[in-house]
Amino acid sequence: MADERARHFRRLRRLRNSARRWSVLAGGLGGAAAVLTPYAGLGLADAAWAGAAGSAIAVAAWRWVDHRALAAVPPPPALDPAEAAARSRARLVAAVERLPVGPGVVAEVRRVRSRLALRGTAAAEPWARLDRAALTLAGLAGRLTGLAEPAVREAAEADRSLRELATRVASVERAAKLTPQSTLNEVHATLVAQLEDGVAAYERLVVAAAGYVAEDARPNTEHPAAARLTEATDLLHGVASALAELRTPLRA
C-alpha cells in the first residue's frame, strides 16, 4: 500500500498544477476574445472564443476551489520507519511471487532465514532434518491421494507444530543463558526431547509415504510400452525372416 501522506501531497501538487494550467489557458482565451471581438465585430467565431474562454475560466475556478479544499485537510501522519520498511518488504515479496519461480524463491529465502535464526541452538539440527523431510514430502504430495490424503493433512499440521516447538526451544535456550536457574534448563531439556521425538516421527511418516508411492506406482505386469516394443521387435524379426526366405530361391 502506498504512503498515504505522500499520496496526499502528490494529489495536492497535481491539483495546483492543473489549476495553473487552466488559469493560463483561461487568460489566453479571455485575452484573445477581448481583442478579437472588438476588432472584427460579433460573429460565430467570436461566440466560440467567448465560450471557450468562459469554460476555461470556470474550470480554473473549480480547480482552485478543489485545491484549497484539499489544502485545508490535515495531511496524514508520517509512517513509522519500521512500518514503512514492512510495507516495502511486502511489496517486494508480492512482486517476486508474481514471477513464474517466485513462490519457490520466497519459500527458500524464508526457510534459510528461519534456519539462520536458530543457528547455534539445540533446535538447529532438528530444524534442518525437518526441512529435508518436508521437502521430500512436498515432492511426494502430488501422488499421495485417496487413502493417503488424511496423512498429508496431518503432516502439514505436524510441520507447523514442530516449527513452533523449535522456535520455543531456541527462545528458552537463550533465556537460560542469561540466568543459572535450573528450572529453565529442565524445561529446555524436555522441549528438546519433544522436538527430537517429533522430528523422528515426521521422518518415519515421510518414509512411509515414499513406500506408499512406490507400491502404488509398481505395476503388476509388464509396462505397456515395453510390451509394445517387444511386439514390434518380434514383428521386425518375422519380416526379416520372410524376406530372407523369398530371396533364397532367386539366388538358387
Side-chain angles (χ1 to χ4, degrees):
M1 180 171 25
D3 185 357
E4 295 296 333
R5 184 179 178 87
R7 182 183 297 174
H8 172 84
F9 286 113
R10 191 161 53 244
R11 185 183 173 195
L12 188 64
R13 193 163 48 249
R14 283 199 301 265
L15 280 175
R16 183 175 62 249
N17 293 337
S18 177
R20 287 175 177 175
R21 286 194 300 269
W22 280 104
S23 297
V24 171
L25 181 61
L29 291 175
V35 171
L36 294 176
T37 299
Y39 178 76
L42 295 175
L44 185 61
D46 300 311
W49 281 109
S55 299
I57 292 172
V59 173
W62 288 337
R63 288 290 185 269
W64 282 115
V65 169
D66 292 341
H67 175 266
R68 290 194 182 94
L70 184 62
V73 176
L79 277 180
D80 181 72
E83 184 179 356
R87 291 186 178 185
S88 299
R89 284 195 300 270
R91 286 196 297 268
L92 178 60
V93 169
V96 172
E97 286 182 337
R98 284 194 291 269
L99 299 175
V101 296
V105 172
V106 172
E108 183 62 25
V109 170
R110 287 172 176 168
R111 187 159 42 244
V112 171
R113 186 177 61 184
S114 300
R115 185 181 299 178
L116 291 177
L118 299 176
R119 186 172 56 183
T121 66
E125 194 270 337
W127 183 282
R129 288 167 51 199
L130 181 61
D131 262 351
R132 289 193 295 270
L135 288 175
T136 303
L137 186 62
L140 301 172
R143 300 179 181 178
L144 294 172
T145 57
L147 297 176
E149 289 182 356
V152 175
R153 292 193 294 268
E154 187 65 28
E157 183 63 29
D159 181 85
R160 288 191 294 269
S161 178
L162 288 173
R163 293 185 189 278
E164 292 176 0
L165 180 58
T167 304
R168 196 177 306 122
V169 167
S171 300
V172 173
E173 183 173 340
R174 293 189 182 100
K177 293 179 180 178
L178 301 177
T179 176
Q181 293 182 3
S182 59
T183 305
L184 287 180
N185 293 327
E186 293 175 0
V187 171
H188 177 261
T190 302
L191 293 177
V192 170
Q194 291 178 356
L195 181 61
E196 291 283 353
D197 293 341
V199 172
Y202 191 92
E203 290 173 335
R204 291 193 296 271
L205 174 65
V206 173
V207 172
Y212 172 86
V213 171
E215 288 296 331
D216 186 59
R218 184 169 63 179
N220 296 325
T221 59
E222 188 179 13
H223 195 277
R228 289 194 297 269
L229 289 175
T230 302
E231 293 175 0
T233 302
D234 293 340
L235 177 62
L236 290 176
H237 281 307
V239 172
S241 300
L243 290 175
E245 291 177 359
L246 289 175
R247 288 183 182 143
T248 299
L250 294 176
R251 291 178 182 176

